[in-house]
Amino acid sequence: MPSANHISPGNFPVVADDSLAVTTDDLAERPTQARASLRPLLLRLHFYAGVLVGPFLLVAALSGLFYVFTPQLERVVYDHELQVPAGEVTLPLQRQIDAAARAVPDATVVRVRPGGEPTSTTQVIFSRPDLEPSHWLTAYVDPYTTQVRGVLETYGSSQATPLRTWVDELHRGLHLGDVGRLYSELAASWLWVVVLGGLVLWWSRVRRRHGRGRLLLPDRRASGRRRVISWHAATGTWIAAVLLFLSVTGLTWSQYAGETITDLRAALSWETPTLSTSLSEHAEHGGHAGHEGHTGTATGPDVGPDRVLAAARASGLDGPVEVTPPSAEGEVYLVKQITNSWPVKQDSAAFDPATGQLLEALRFDDYPLGAKLARWGIDAHMGLLFGLANQIVLAAVCLALVAVICWGYRMWWHRRPTRDRFGVGRPFPRGAWRAVPRWALVPLVVAAGFVGWFLPVFGVSLLAFLVVDALSGMLARRPSRSGARER
């Protein structure tokens, strides 16, 4: 019987298991069994999905592996800016802000992060018109001497240093801007399809041949290509749950699917709640349902960040915090916890700038479930939620994914044609969809359309592959027809 594990000319080699293939002859011999199964269609989909995401997943895994350990790298590369010898008396926060302002002229203070440890510097964050969106200038101040130990351009709400920003942009978009972000969205959109398809194929093969007990174990008795297949599939099974999690959480950051997910969260009232910066709004409403607080209406001079920070500590905002001073008259001080490790501390509070009085407190426990899941998911994806253990798990999964991809290419190499030096194989036989009963095919098409709408990059790429596959099929039939006419 001819092998069914091939790739068409011009395509990338991908992971495929010829022992799982069902040829046209098989379908003719067992029409009842084949029509009752989606297996042939799943094989072809898994094949083309591997062609699509293989190279992109390899880049994402390697760049993600680098990103996981950027917190440790930052502490080494920016040790002078981030760390100071522990002193005895911390100077007032306002003096530290004033020192930073002198070092960063023509900029506006937007946030302040007092050091969370005795050896940590205070981060004073500035905005400036010439900076790109979500980029800031951060001055690192010695809290014991007010010496400015350095100024760096940082990124995002996490105040990522230039090193982490560079790795982050590599992982998200290959430093190609919005166009480059399509690579990561393409990989995240197809990753779950490849994982689920591979699990079904491997489970059905193991159940048929060895029983369920061999699902997580490679076949050590096998040799050659079958041994590689066994390691590829068993390793993929071990990391499948984490890969599905990374696919889902990665889509929340994506350019197009991310907008859809944001709209869905808004429709379900799963958005992350925030406190108002308007003093008058707090005076009118005196807090919202589910929030702690009371009304504050006083106006007058600014009591300063030191009084506000002391009030925040008294209200229960312990650990590392970020203080946002009023940016205009009639606004309040906002203080927010910024601990992303478990247990997460993301409580925030608003304070009257004239009195330092607590106006309203928003507790993380009061967040809707969707907002909590988003917070936990993002932090776990970044390797922050469970600290070093989180980093080790992600690093192991990245390395395992690289191995799975390499084993896939090794499998293709084992099955390459040996007589034709430049030859490549054929893809799985077409027409597998004809074996699917209508009662199953119609919902499958509808589901594909819905997923394509929800994940636009997935939908467009799926449509493109169908068109290319149809055109390649037409071209493949031409020689045989012309040959028939000549005969």
Side-chain angles (χ1 to χ4, degrees), residues 40-82:
L41 183 62
L42 185 58
L43 280 166
R44 192 166 177 84
L45 176 63
H46 190 68
F47 171 83
Y48 278 115
V51 173
L52 175 67
V53 303
F56 301 108
L57 286 177
L58 187 61
V59 173
L62 292 174
S63 59
L65 179 63
F66 190 13
Y67 181 85
V68 165
F69 293 104
T70 50
Q72 286 83 355
L73 293 173
E74 281 181 322
R75 283 194 283 271
V76 173
V77 175
Y78 303 108
D79 178 73
H80 181 74
E81 289 82 1
L82 298 175

Side-chain angles (χ1 to χ4, degrees), residues 156 170 261 295 316 356 471:
L170 174 67
I261 294 173
T295 303
L471 292 176

Side-chain angles (χ1 to χ4, degrees), residues 4-5 15-23 26 30 39-40 42-43 46 197-206 208-209 225-226 229 233 411 428:
N5 178 37
V15 175
D17 183 352
D18 65 319
S19 65
L20 304 178
V22 179
T23 65
D26 293 330
R30 299 179 298 169
R39 184 182 179 81
L42 185 58
L43 280 166
H46 190 68
L199 285 176
V200 172
L201 293 174
W202 177 239
W203 179 81
S204 62
R205 179 178 185 270
V206 171
R208 189 173 65 252
R209 298 189 177 190
R225 175 181 167 78
R226 291 186 180 277
I229 291 173
M411 288 156 51
F428 291 106

